[in-house]
Amino acid sequence: MAVQHFLTLKDLPPKDLLAIVQRASNLKQADDPSTSLAGRTLALLFDKSSTRTRVAFEVAMNRLGGSSIFLSNKDSQLGRGETPEDSAKVLSRMVDCIAIRTFEHSMLERFASHSRVPVINALTDSFHPCQLLADVQTFLEHRGPIAGRSVAWIGDGNNMCQSYINASEVFDFELRIAAPEGYGPDPELVRRHSHRVELCDSPDLAVRDVDLVVTDVWASMGQEAEQQERLAIFKPYQVNAELMSRARAGALFMHCLPAHRGEEVSAEIIDAEDSVVWDEAENRMHSQRALLEYLCISNLLN
Ligand code: CP
Ligand code: NVA
């Protein structure tokens, strides 16, 4: 049987993604002492910094009774030029699951195509699907199912924005995107999701009457050299009290974190009552527990 990877949200059937989100919520509420992954090992191969993703995976494995091994690119031979294909063949004979955070999405695909065990996208330049599991779980816990609701993405058309585009289809919500010209998401991805996604000319238009407003940093990891230039270009795209007042009353605010207060989001909004960023962060651990169980133990949800 082919190995089930999680490189984007499109890799799993929508009904399974919903079941993972529900399982995550159940694990959290029941403080479920499931040790379903006893004796299993997760390898974490990270080429970029991380706080939430790394800690969430390590704690998740620990709480499921398994263990994890963290390798930054400084520690592994991958960082010295061993190919993704060779690294995948070797590591997947030793561990039970592999989570990778890297730059090019194609590196992840090359690795996964030679792995005997599930490979998880822990963030690439193109997508960050694990974050979306936590975001959808967080919306569910605060406002009920996200299906049929409307979401505004404000700012860079980056890996998070592109995962929201995928999510709009698999979780069945309407997505409005406001990004500066030249900084939008992949036009082909938008075209393929045109039944769910609308590009808006301004943040004001995008947030009108939405149930959720989401943003992210203006310069992602790997774009540090563009930071200053982007600050000026993205300035009209800050999520602040005035912008949030145009959304539906009680609209939630989300940000995957880390955030730059005073840049993409004002301090008053990230710390406001309808900001759920800390629940989002916590839910990374619960949703990744549910994802690990799903990928490592086939048919767990059936
Ligand atoms: N949101 C997120 O992925 O955070 P880290 O970069 O800290 O893992
Ligand atoms: N877009 C951000 C997300 C960080 C979790 C980045 O790629 O740096």
Side-chain angles (χ1 to χ4, degrees):
M1 209 173 80
V3 182
Q4 180 64 68
H5 300 302
F6 185 61
L7 309 189
T8 77
L9 290 167
K10 295 295 182 78
D11 285 345
L12 302 186
K15 73 169 183 32
D16 288 14
L17 289 166
L18 276 173
I20 289 168
V21 168
Q22 191 56 58
R23 169 76 175 151
S25 220
N26 294 347
L27 281 168
K28 176 182 181 178
Q29 280 161 25
D31 206 17
D32 190 331
S34 166
T35 51
S36 53
L37 297 190
R40 314 263 185 135
T41 306
L42 169 73
L44 294 154
L45 308 181
F46 277 39
D47 291 336
K48 292 176 172 174
S49 303
S50 172
T51 298
R52 281 144 287 268
T53 309
R54 174 183 177 177
V55 173
F57 270 124
E58 293 206 22
V59 173
M61 275 312 277
N62 194 283
R63 287 181 67 170
L64 290 168
S67 60
S68 54
I69 297 171
F70 180 83
L71 292 170
S72 78
N73 60 348
K74 291 190 203 74
D75 310 310
S76 76
Q77 298 290 6
L78 254 175
R80 295 183 58 252
E82 187 169 15
T83 65
E85 290 83 357
D86 288 357
S87 303
K89 285 179 202 162
V90 172
L91 284 172
S92 68
R93 286 174 180 233
M94 299 186 192
V95 302
D96 302 283
C97 190
I98 300 169
I100 299 180
R101 171 168 284 204
T102 193
F103 292 87
E104 289 181 9
H105 195 75
S106 57
M107 178 276 187
L108 189 69
E109 291 172 335
R110 285 171 60 191
F111 192 103
S113 67
H114 287 78
S115 174
R116 291 179 174 187
V117 300
V119 173
I120 298 173
N121 180 355
L123 181 147
T124 63
D125 289 346
S126 305
F127 296 104
H128 193 10
C130 289
Q131 183 69 51
L132 264 292
L133 296 178
D135 286 17
V136 171
Q137 181 190 342
T138 306
F139 192 92
L140 175 72
E141 290 172 357
H142 284 270
R143 297 285 185 268
I146 200 166
R149 304 300 190 96
S150 53
V151 178
W153 175 271
I154 308 298
D156 195 17
N158 63 12
N159 43 12
M160 276 298 301
C161 175
Q162 299 201 147
S163 282
Y164 262 90
I165 293 175
N166 280 343
S168 71
E169 182 168 282
V170 298
F171 292 110
D172 194 18
F173 58 82
E174 181 197 334
L175 178 64
R176 292 196 228 133
I177 299 171
E181 203 177 335
Y183 293 88
D186 175 8
E188 176 54 22
L189 187 70
V190 174
R191 193 194 59 73
R192 287 203 308 272
H193 294 81
S194 54
H195 54 298
R196 287 278 179 282
V197 177
E198 183 189 349
L199 297 181
C200 298
D201 290 337
S202 72
D204 281 3
L205 285 173
V207 301
R208 196 165 292 166
D209 291 333
V210 295
D211 301 294
L212 168 65
V213 177
V214 195
T215 191
D216 187 13
V217 290
W218 291 339
S220 286
M221 290 181 278
Q223 298 172 330
E224 289 76 8
E226 298 173 35
Q227 177 95 30
Q228 287 310 313
E229 186 190 347
R230 282 172 172 258
L231 269 180
I233 293 167
F234 281 80
K235 207 162 181 253
Y237 290 77
Q238 184 186 74
V239 178
N240 51 34
E242 197 198 328
L243 190 67
M244 285 300 291
S245 73
R246 298 176 199 280
R248 183 161 293 167
L252 295 177
F253 171 74
M254 290 194 196
H255 188 311
C256 64
L257 305 178
H260 292 180
R261 282 177 164 75
E263 292 182 18
E264 73 275 4
V265 59
S266 66
E268 63 182 340
I269 287 303
I270 198 169
D271 294 325
E273 201 184 329
D274 289 324
S275 164
V276 288
V277 298
W278 315 120
D279 290 342
E280 247 186 298
E282 177 188 337
N283 285 340
R284 296 296 305 278
M285 196 274 285
H286 304 299
S287 55
Q288 285 168 207
R289 264 196 292 173
L291 176 68
L292 286 164
E293 281 189 327
Y294 173 89
L295 293 174
C296 295
I297 308 169
S298 55
N299 298 323
L300 189 77
L301 298 170
N302 298 328

